[in-house]
Amino acid sequence: MDITAENRAFDGRQIVATHASEACQCDMTFGLYLPPQAQDGPVPLIWYLSGLTCTHENAMTKAGAQAWCAEHGLAMVFPDTSPRGTAVADDAAYDLGQGAGFYIDATEAPWAPHFRMQSYIADELPGLLSANFPLDAARQSIMGHSMGGHGALTLAMKTPGRFSSVSAFSPICNPSDSDWGRKQFTAYLGADADWEAHDAARLMRQDGIDIPVLIDTGTDDQFGDLLRTEALAQAMAEKRVAHSLRMQKGYDHSYFFVASFIEEHIAFHADALWA
């Protein structure tokens, strides 16, 4: 692992690092914010999964999370959204290929050799972080935006006991029943695969979730029909899951929306992580 950039931020460290990934078979980059409290010992960690077209850098520079992480004594990691490089398969569309990993493990050509984002986020990167930084592996939460909200919700349900809380901004809630999902799942997994295993609404309907859930979506989100928020809301109601789902009046899908409510999301996770 090579630290390629480091900046002081709110008396903590904003790091960017690159490493050779076994899961993705290419070099991967992530951002990591360590609050000032990390100088005295391990701190809890929030995972932030970004959306389509993003890299590790978008939320790291636009969401405004560092000030609130420093206030609550929490680290935050910003992984990339997909494998990258000249040897990695890609597509001309913005919603497939590099920048659009969907946090699943691809099984179909030409994606299977590199597009293993579920394994990368769930298994490989946690080990790398724990081995190199002062992080409390027993205290982790996860959040995400759009495609990353899909990833946060599904990973929280696929790995029960790992996360203390989960939140999402404008998550893709029901990808197997929308254009944001059917295209990608067909390409990455095949038409006959078990798509329900990667669908937040369907996973919620099957098993529910027993950690705190916070979801914010804007009433003016330009992708509202693709998100299918109502499917997840119905599933949580059917399973009687304790949650807060807020429709924020006038907000869209942008990082202006994320930055407007990031303080509340970090405070939500702090309550769970320091409980």
Side-chain angles (χ1 to χ4, degrees):
M1 186 191 71
D2 294 319
I3 293 178
T4 59
E6 182 170 342
N7 299 93
R8 188 171 179 84
F10 302 97
D11 292 327
R13 301 165 64 198
Q14 178 59 65
I15 295 165
V16 176
T18 300
H19 70 104
S21 167
E22 292 185 12
C24 297
Q25 292 296 298
C26 65
D27 286 347
M28 295 292 288
T29 300
F30 63 88
L32 175 68
Y33 179 70
L34 292 172
Q37 295 87 339
Q39 299 174 41
D40 300 320
V43 295
L45 175 66
I46 300 174
W47 291 77
Y48 186 104
L49 306 186
S50 289
L52 288 165
T53 75
C54 291
T55 69
H56 70 282
E57 189 174 24
N58 293 74
M60 185 182 80
T61 59
K62 295 179 180 179
Q66 289 85 350
W68 310 114
C69 285
E71 179 174 311
H72 291 285
L74 304 174
M76 183 172 283
V77 61
F78 307 90
D80 203 346
T81 56
S82 78
R84 298 183 190 273
T86 56
V88 177
D90 201 7
D91 191 272
Y94 77 97
D95 58 353
L96 187 68
Q98 295 186 35
F102 266 77
Y103 304 101
I104 60 177
D105 285 351
T107 58
E108 300 294 298
W111 315 104
H114 300 286
F115 280 73
R116 300 186 56 79
M117 289 302 295
Q118 178 176 314
S119 292
Y120 178 68
I121 298 296
D123 301 319
E124 182 178 12
L125 188 53
L128 182 75
L129 294 173
S130 294
N132 289 278
F133 301 104
L135 301 171
D136 184 349
R139 296 188 181 195
Q140 298 186 43
S141 290
I142 191 166
M143 65 189 300
H145 174 223
S146 192
M147 178 186 72
H150 142 77
L153 289 164
T154 56
L155 284 168
M157 286 184 276
K158 290 175 185 179
T159 56
R162 176 175 168 188
F163 299 110
S164 299
S165 52
V166 58
S167 74
F169 296 97
S170 306
I172 300 173
C173 298
N174 188 203
S176 60
D177 289 326
S178 78
D179 291 340
W180 267 2
R182 283 192 295 251
K183 171 184 176 180
Q184 293 82 0
F185 286 4
T186 299
Y188 294 147
L189 303 172
D192 299 323
D194 180 14
W195 292 1
E196 293 190 6
H198 310 286
D199 186 301
R202 297 192 178 200
L203 286 170
M204 187 69 71
R205 191 171 293 117
Q206 290 171 13
D207 301 317
I209 194 168
D210 63 356
I211 58 175
V213 179
L214 171 62
I215 295 171
D216 278 323
T217 296
T219 60
D220 289 0
D221 193 306
Q222 57 270 46
F223 304 112
D225 292 342
L226 296 172
L227 302 178
R228 290 187 54 80
T229 307
E230 69 281 359
L232 181 63
Q234 182 178 354
M236 289 190 292
E238 290 174 0
K239 280 295 185 180
R240 297 184 179 274
V241 169
H243 69 278
S244 177
L245 195 161
R246 310 184 301 188
M247 300 301 299
Q248 300 290 1
K249 186 173 178 58
Y251 284 90
D252 59 17
H253 200 76
S254 69
Y255 272 100
F256 295 110
F257 167 53
V258 173
S260 296
F261 297 99
I262 192 75
E263 176 188 3
E264 295 177 32
H265 280 243
I266 291 173
F268 164 79
H269 290 298
D271 287 343
L273 289 166
W274 290 117

